[in-house]
Amino acid sequence: MASITPLSQSQPLLEKTQFTVLNKPQNQFCSIPFSRFTQSSNLFLKKSRMVVVSATTAAEKSNKRYPGEAKGFVEEMRFVAMKLHTKDQAKEGEKEPVDQPLAKWEPTVEGYLKFLVDSKLVYDTLERIVEKAPFPEYAEFRNTGLERSEVLAKDLEWFRQQGHAIPGPSTPGVTYARYLEELSEKDPQAFICHFYNTYFAHSAGGRMIGRKVAEKVLNKKELEFYKWDGDLSQLLQNVRDKLNQVAENWTREEKNHCLEETEKSFKFSGAILRLIFS
């Protein structure tokens, strides 16, 4: 019969036996600090916002309307030109006056003749370029009814008959004519800017100046320079329509380049205008 070992005898075995308590395994994923998730999340959101803002800015830029653009490119040119006037010349003017107000001008016949001679040179040049048309779009502006070269020739002949000596072209006119010739061969957008400002300025402020000068030195005689065959407003509108049609084929960059030329146009024409008081 098998005997049962007393518990007291088995005690040493229990004492020798070692039990190892296993540590609870750590979850490595959970051991990553939560703050790092927060930083990553914030970075992702920040980048997302940057993408959205960038896309919005690009969309706003592409949809940006330039002053006058809704009415056509001629209105954009008019807006830029008006900004270059002084307050006493136009309500939209922003430039500080550098000359005396028109009412205080003291023109001379000799100076006025210089102005007319140089003006004729500029119109001769513009009309010759349009006739030659180094760029096809120039041909759109032939025979508009705004041409001034022939009527200026008549006015200068009238002065000659009155006994006045007709001077040759002076530096302002020669310089401007040369610039227009060079520009017309390589930069149609800039040339169109000068074309627009020369003809349209004469039909507005130019007529007012002519009237004031005539009152002071010509016994109020109205020169042919300030007369047009037909309805002037309609002639101007016809040219506006053609200018708008031509500009429809330009990129926004080309349109902006045309607008940027406006200040040069004012500089050249202003130098010729000041001949009246020389």
Side-chain angles (χ1 to χ4, degrees):
M1 182 176 177
S3 61
I4 301 174
T5 304
L7 183 60
S8 59
Q9 295 179 17
S10 65
Q11 188 67 30
L13 179 63
L14 292 173
E15 291 176 352
K16 293 179 181 179
T17 303
Q18 296 181 355
F19 292 92
T20 302
V21 179
L22 297 176
N23 291 328
K24 183 179 179 181
Q26 293 182 350
N27 189 321
Q28 295 300 317
F29 178 80
C30 292
S31 67
I32 299 174
F34 181 73
S35 61
R36 291 176 62 183
F37 282 102
T38 304
Q39 292 172 359
S40 299
S41 178
N42 288 341
L43 181 61
F44 174 77
L45 289 174
K46 184 176 181 180
K47 289 183 176 180
S48 298
R49 290 192 192 99
M50 289 172 66
V51 171
V52 172
V53 170
S54 177
T56 302
T57 302
E60 288 176 348
K61 187 174 182 180
S62 64
N63 293 327
K64 177 184 175 182
R65 280 286 192 178
Y66 289 77
E69 185 178 3
K71 295 183 179 180
F73 187 62
V74 171
E75 186 64 16
E76 291 188 53
M77 288 197 285
R78 189 198 71 82
F79 181 85
V80 173
M82 288 298 101
K83 293 295 183 183
L84 293 175
H85 285 73
T86 59
K87 286 291 185 182
D88 63 329
Q89 293 173 329
K91 62 181 180 180
E92 299 117 308
E94 294 183 351
K95 288 287 186 179
E96 292 295 326
V98 294
D99 295 316
Q100 289 183 339
L102 186 60
K104 295 183 179 181
W105 285 5
E106 294 298 334
T108 64
V109 174
E110 292 75 16
Y112 194 41
L113 277 170
K114 291 179 185 178
F115 163 77
L116 294 175
V117 168
D118 278 29
S119 294
K120 185 178 185 301
L121 177 59
V122 170
Y123 283 106
D124 285 345
T125 304
L126 287 169
E127 288 158 27
R128 184 172 60 253
I129 290 169
V130 166
E131 189 61 35
K132 184 174 61 174
F135 285 90
E137 54 262 51
Y138 296 172
E140 295 292 329
F141 305 105
R142 294 172 181 163
N143 304 315
T144 62
L146 298 182
E147 291 79 14
R148 298 289 86 193
S149 183
E150 287 188 9
V151 294
L152 276 165
K154 292 178 182 179
D155 286 332
L156 290 172
E157 179 57 30
W158 178 83
F159 276 100
R160 184 179 288 108
Q161 292 175 1
Q162 302 303 308
H164 296 284
I166 308 302
S170 58
T171 300
V174 172
T175 302
Y176 195 14
R178 186 180 297 123
Y179 180 75
L180 290 171
E181 287 278 10
E182 294 173 356
L183 204 62
S184 68
E185 297 286 344
K186 62 183 180 181
D187 196 338
Q189 285 77 33
F191 173 75
I192 291 296
C193 175
H194 289 268
F195 177 91
Y196 163 78
N197 280 291
T198 299
Y199 284 102
F200 278 68
H202 177 64
S203 70
R207 284 195 296 168
M208 179 183 67
I209 291 170
R211 194 162 51 245
K212 293 292 184 183
V213 173
E215 289 175 357
K216 293 194 173 186
V217 299
L218 297 181
N219 197 25
K220 297 186 179 180
K221 175 180 172 57
E222 184 180 13
L223 298 181
E224 297 300 314
F225 190 28
Y226 305 100
K227 300 177 185 177
W228 287 263
D229 292 332
D231 180 12
L232 177 58
S233 61
Q234 186 58 55
L235 295 175
L236 292 169
Q237 186 57 52
N238 293 342
V239 176
R240 282 191 195 95
D241 292 341
K242 291 182 178 183
L243 286 166
N244 283 331
Q245 289 170 8
V246 167
E248 283 179 1
N249 298 317
W250 294 350
T251 64
R252 184 65 253 179
E253 289 73 18
E254 288 172 331
K255 290 179 179 180
N256 289 346
H257 176 60
C258 176
L259 298 175
E260 289 165 359
E261 191 72 13
T262 306
E263 194 157 4
K264 286 185 180 178
S265 174
F266 271 56
K267 178 182 176 181
F268 282 115
S269 60
I272 294 175
L273 182 62
R274 283 188 285 275
L275 290 172
I276 296 175
F277 318 104
S278 62

